[in-house]
Amino acid sequence: MKYLILILIAVVSLSSYSQLDRKAIYSALASDSKDIVQKQLDGVQGLKESSEVKAFKGALQMKAAQFQKTAKDKLNLFNAGKKLLESEIKSNDSNVEYRFLRLLIQENAPKQLKYNGNIEEDALNIAAGYSKLKESTKAAIESYAKKSASLKGLL
């Protein structure tokens, strides 16, 4: 009985250690508040590193880049985030949520960054895999689809 309790405590501890608050992260990605984005980025950076954490961290870094003071700092932070997210997409090509993160960033990134080459591909992947996603991710996609040119009519 003691061992069962110890195992249960360990599982609960580990699961809370690496949990992402998707709703809060998606709210931050939709926000224009430096503080809200930074709070979520700080929270993600404190989690145990995993593919999922890296993908969300990359997206949050790209979003946070817009709040940097200099163009050089903006570009450096954006590129660091891009590297993280693209690496996770390359390793997990069929992960629909990562594709949604990239679509969200690509549709809202400044044109001069030329980070918009996967919008159509990602939109099709999102539409095809939508039914298998977590409810929090579905809610974020549904909310974003209302203003997204590439997702309108696909869901």
Side-chain angles (χ1 to χ4, degrees):
M1 185 68 169
K2 285 182 187 178
Y3 294 113
L4 182 60
I5 293 172
L6 287 175
I7 291 171
L8 185 61
I9 290 171
V11 168
V12 170
S13 296
L14 286 175
S15 66
S16 66
Y17 178 63
S18 64
Q19 288 291 326
L20 289 168
D21 183 352
R22 282 175 164 72
K23 185 176 178 181
I25 292 171
Y26 286 125
S27 290
L29 290 170
S31 169
D32 286 325
S33 168
K34 177 182 178 179
D35 293 335
I36 291 172
V37 173
Q38 191 60 50
K39 179 181 177 188
Q40 291 307 312
L41 182 55
D42 292 344
V44 169
Q45 289 175 332
L47 296 176
K48 182 179 178 190
E49 193 167 285
S50 67
S51 174
E52 190 174 64
V53 167
K54 287 190 247 181
F56 278 93
K57 180 180 174 183
L60 285 165
Q61 284 179 333
M62 287 188 278
K63 176 68 176 179
Q66 77 184 60
F67 303 114
Q68 300 301 303
K69 292 191 187 307
T70 67
K72 181 181 178 185
D73 290 342
K74 287 179 184 194
L75 188 58
N76 287 341
L77 187 56
F78 186 89
N79 284 336
K82 177 180 163 184
K83 182 178 178 182
L84 277 175
L85 181 58
E86 290 295 332
S87 174
E88 293 313 311
I89 291 171
K90 186 175 182 180
S91 298
N92 303 282
D93 191 48
S94 61
N95 188 308
V96 176
E97 188 167 30
Y98 297 176
R99 299 291 193 119
F100 173 59
L101 290 171
R102 179 168 67 184
L103 175 87
L104 195 149
I105 297 296
Q106 285 191 353
E107 283 193 336
N108 293 288
K111 301 276 187 248
Q112 62 265 34
L113 291 174
K114 297 179 183 168
Y115 187 60
N116 56 7
N118 306 96
I119 291 174
E120 187 175 324
E121 168 193 348
D122 289 346
L124 293 173
N125 273 283
I126 293 164
Y130 176 80
S131 64
K132 298 173 189 162
L133 294 170
K134 296 176 183 182
E135 289 304 316
S136 56
T137 306
K138 285 181 181 179
I141 291 171
E142 288 168 9
S143 176
Y144 183 70
K146 293 173 186 172
K147 60 182 176 184
S148 168
S150 61
L151 288 179
K152 278 188 181 162
L154 287 180
L155 301 178

